[in-house]
Amino acid sequence: MSTGDLDTARDLLEAASSIVVFTGAGMSAESGIPTFRDALTGIWANHDPMTLASPEGWASDPDLVWAWYADRATRVRSVAPNAGHLAVAELGRRRGVTVSVVTQNVDDLHERAGSVVASHLHGSLFAPRCQDCGRPESSDLAAATPRPACPLCGSTLRPGVVWFGEPLPSDDWRRAENVLDDADLMIVVGTTGVVYPAAELPERTCAAGVPVIEVNPEPSAVTTFATVRLAGPATQMLPDLLARRDQS
Ligand code: OAD
Ligand code: ZN
């Protein structure tokens, strides 16, 4: 990355008053949560998404699927937000700017860093609900084994994440669209930008003439239209972006 890119990004940040931070798995990678599409360590390199992340997989082996998400919830609870999450939260505390976090991540690391998340587009590891009556259950049950039953109707709880082929939670989608309507800057962190409809949001933002800063060590589908890419990891690039010029 050239210093010019960092300067350009800082200029965009200084000019902005309503910022949407759109995040993907790369945001949490340095907290120790694997991404999905890394060729070697990615979750989908080592597990079949149709077994673990589809309604069909759930129907064929709910115990296996529940156990896998319970394990992920336990893993997330054992790690901490990283310097990137903390930088996003710090930006949210700056006077004169509104920061809305829209995330594809199902972890709670933004919240634990101190951000209010406007939208969890792909649900949450910590929001189990009944598969039949839909009643939401306590996050305490996210890692419970064996798979708990619904206290209301006796059916079974399912993880509160969105699986392939399922619609996104409508309230989260609406909130994401609302904050994007007002945005004058989008910062996209750590996503390949290939899973729709979430990936539509950065595209649409750019098409509306709003600048897009991408933070990603690798090029992605977002790179093709981003105004500028900060080519490095979130824990370095987000603090650098927020640092005052005279500090660097
Ligand atoms: P991916 O695994 O597809 O992409 C992760 C991105 O993060 C890649 O572009 C990496 O280059 C980048 N990355 C890796 N380390 C990074 C770091 N330290 N700092 C910044 N970026 C880094 O993950 P997503 O794009 O989030 O869906 O995947 C989208 C959706 O696909 C997920 O929400 C999930 C998955 O199937 C559901 O759960 C429904
Ligand atoms: Zn129920």
Side-chain angles (χ1 to χ4, degrees):
M1 189 195 61
S2 69
T3 350
D5 292 338
L6 189 55
D7 284 342
T8 304
R10 284 174 171 173
D11 287 344
L12 292 171
L13 184 63
E14 263 169 38
S17 58
S18 188
I19 304 166
V20 171
V21 180
F22 179 86
T23 64
M27 180 84 233
S28 299
E30 292 163 278
S31 288
I33 304 297
T35 63
F36 292 95
R37 291 179 183 76
D38 184 278
L40 293 175
T41 59
I43 290 176
W44 298 152
N46 299 296
H47 298 279
D48 173 15
M50 289 307 121
T51 306
L52 294 171
S54 76
E56 296 76 18
W58 172 249
S60 85
D61 196 343
D63 286 328
L64 172 84
V65 175
W66 177 270
W68 190 70
Y69 285 94
D71 198 58
R72 282 180 67 199
T74 303
R75 170 80 197 231
V76 167
R77 281 190 177 133
S78 75
V79 305
N82 64 48
H85 296 105
L86 294 172
V88 172
E90 185 198 321
L91 185 60
R93 288 191 293 270
R94 279 197 180 169
R95 233 172 284 149
V97 289
T98 310
V99 174
S100 304
V101 177
V102 173
T103 189
Q104 301 167 86
N105 296 345
V106 294
D107 63 49
D108 60 354
L109 296 174
H110 280 300
E111 288 92 336
R112 281 161 56 198
S115 291
V116 176
V117 173
S119 173
H120 269 281
L121 291 172
H122 291 162
S124 164
L125 285 171
F126 302 105
R129 66 173 191 274
C130 175
Q131 69 163 9
D132 286 323
C133 75
R135 176 178 140 127
E137 275 304 325
S138 154
S139 60
D140 295 345
L141 290 179
T145 46
R147 182 163 45 99
C150 171
L152 195 64
C153 76
S155 178
T156 183
L157 299 194
R158 61 158 281 175
V161 301
V162 176
W163 288 326
F164 288 104
E166 291 187 319
L168 304 197
S170 52
D171 287 351
D172 291 78
W173 182 257
R174 191 176 34 75
R175 280 195 298 273
E177 287 193 311
N178 285 347
V179 295
L180 279 166
D181 277 348
D182 293 334
D184 54 15
L185 176 67
M186 187 185 225
I187 304 175
V188 179
V189 187
T191 181
T192 43
V194 296
V195 174
Y196 286 81
E200 264 174 37
L201 297 175
E203 279 175 24
R204 274 206 234 162
T205 305
C206 175
V210 174
V212 173
I213 299 172
E214 179 181 32
V215 174
N216 198 319
E218 304 294 333
S220 75
V222 176
T223 313
T224 54
F225 56 80
T227 317
V228 61
R229 175 164 73 101
L230 301 181
T235 57
Q236 185 190 332
M237 290 301 143
L238 287 168
D240 277 2
L241 175 61
L242 266 64
R244 292 156 53 108
R245 278 170 218 270
D246 53 12
Q247 291 174 340
S248 56

